[in-house]
Amino acid sequence: MPAQTKAERRAANKLDHFEKRQTERADRGPRGLAESWVERARALAAEREKDGDTEVWNDLSRTISTWCTRYEQ
C-alpha cells in the first residue's frame, strides 16, 4: 500500500467514521439514516466553505427548502 499524505489519512478516517455512524444509525431505520445524511451534508458544506466554495451553503439550503416544500403540502 502506498504511503498516504496527512490529508489522505484524514479523508479516509472521516469516511470510516461516517460509515460506522451510518451503520449504527441504520439500526434505527430511515430516521437514523436521515440523521446521518444531514450530519454528513453539514460537514461537507463546512469543509467546502473552508476551501473557498461560496455557494455550498446556498445549494444545501435550496435542496432542503425544496424537500420541505414538497412535504409541507
Side-chain angles (χ1 to χ4, degrees):
M1 180 167 115
Q4 291 180 315
T5 66
K6 183 177 179 180
E8 289 170 336
R9 274 193 316 278
R10 184 172 182 254
N13 287 340
K14 286 172 75 172
L15 181 60
D16 288 344
H17 178 73
F18 169 73
E19 289 174 346
K20 180 181 178 213
R21 287 179 57 93
Q22 189 174 37
T23 299
E24 291 168 356
R25 288 178 174 170
D27 292 340
R28 294 183 15 231
R31 182 178 182 152
L33 287 173
E35 289 174 5
S36 185
W37 283 114
V38 168
E39 179 183 289
R40 180 74 172 148
R42 292 183 69 197
L44 286 170
E47 187 176 312
R48 300 233 4 187
E49 180 184 37
K50 282 193 286 186
D51 292 339
D53 187 344
T54 58
E55 185 59 22
V56 67
W57 286 107
N58 287 329
D59 185 36
L60 181 57
S61 178
R62 283 190 304 271
T63 300
I64 294 171
S65 173
T66 299
W67 185 91
C68 288
T69 299
R70 182 179 336 144
Y71 287 97
E72 284 175 337
Q73 300 174 6

